[in-house]
Amino acid sequence: MVKKLPVLLLLVLVLFYCCNKGKIRPACSPQVCTDVFVSIGVHFVDKQGQPISVQNFQAINLRTHAAIGPTLAGYGTLVIGYYIIADDGDLSKLSIAGDDIQVSGTDAATNQTKTAILKISGGCTCHISKISGVDQIIFD
């Protein structure tokens, strides 16, 4: 019985390894990517089409319910009225198929809040990309 124990133990270990082999999620496959740093944003404009600054800007991933935003400090509002929703630093926070991102902001002059949903993909790709959604959010 003592001589059979190591063989039996080895057999159990091999079976355990084989049963769990497919459950381990592989890392992203190697790929050639450009050095371009991609970001996706939205313009907030008034009814005349003029850019406006908004208060309480938010971008929420509706799949994870987590806020997302630019990964570089001070990068979110380079131009008046244009807000960065996500950039390549958010690749791991987004799925390959794309996630619905709820974007909202409040016009300080009218206290009106507008919301839009954009679909942005990430995951194991080189860069994030906008699948669908508006380029501008227009206040009445």
Side-chain angles (χ1 to χ4, degrees), residues 112-136:
Q112 180 185 30
T113 300
K114 286 286 190 170
T115 302
I117 295 180
L118 289 85
K119 189 169 201 126
I120 301 174
S121 67
C124 285
T125 59
C126 290
H127 305 288
I128 62 170
S129 64
K130 182 170 86 169
I131 298 172
S132 64
V134 298
D135 293 325
Q136 288 186 342

Side-chain angles (χ1 to χ4, degrees), residues 4 7 10-11 14 23 25-26 29 33 36 44 66 74 76 89-91 112-113 127 130 132 134:
K4 292 181 183 179
V7 173
L10 180 63
L11 182 63
V14 168
K23 295 181 183 176
R25 184 174 178 243
S29 62
C33 297
V36 174
F44 285 92
D90 296 309
L91 272 172
Q112 180 185 30
T113 300
H127 305 288
K130 182 170 86 169
S132 64
V134 298

Side-chain angles (χ1 to χ4, degrees), residues 21-41:
K21 185 177 179 182
K23 295 181 183 176
I24 299 171
R25 184 174 178 243
C28 296
S29 62
Q31 53 189 318
V32 178
C33 297
T34 63
D35 286 336
V36 174
F37 190 77
V38 176
S39 63
I40 296 171

Side-chain angles (χ1 to χ4, degrees), residues 15-124:
L15 288 174
F16 179 76
Y17 173 77
C18 291
C19 291
N20 289 317
K21 185 177 179 182
K23 295 181 183 176
I24 299 171
R25 184 174 178 243
C28 296
S29 62
Q31 53 189 318
V32 178
C33 297
T34 63
D35 286 336
V36 174
F37 190 77
V38 176
S39 63
I40 296 171
V42 67
H43 292 274
F44 285 92
V45 296
D46 62 15
K47 58 186 167 188
Q48 287 83 31
Q50 297 301 312
I52 60 171
S53 296
V54 296
Q55 298 175 335
N56 304 322
F57 173 77
Q58 287 187 325
I60 305 293
N61 185 330
L62 296 179
R63 178 180 57 89
T64 63
H65 302 289
I68 65 169
T71 55
L72 299 175
Y75 181 56
T77 54
L78 296 175
V79 177
I80 293 174
Y82 185 75
Y83 291 81
I84 303 294
I85 299 167
D87 59 34
D88 279 346
D90 296 309
L91 272 172
S92 63
K93 299 175 188 174
L94 299 165
S95 68
I96 294 172
D99 293 336
D100 289 331
I101 309 298
Q102 181 177 333
V103 177
S104 63
T106 303
D107 183 354
T110 64
N111 208 28
Q112 180 185 30
T113 300
K114 286 286 190 170
T115 302
I117 295 180
L118 289 85
K119 189 169 201 126
I120 301 174
S121 67
C124 285

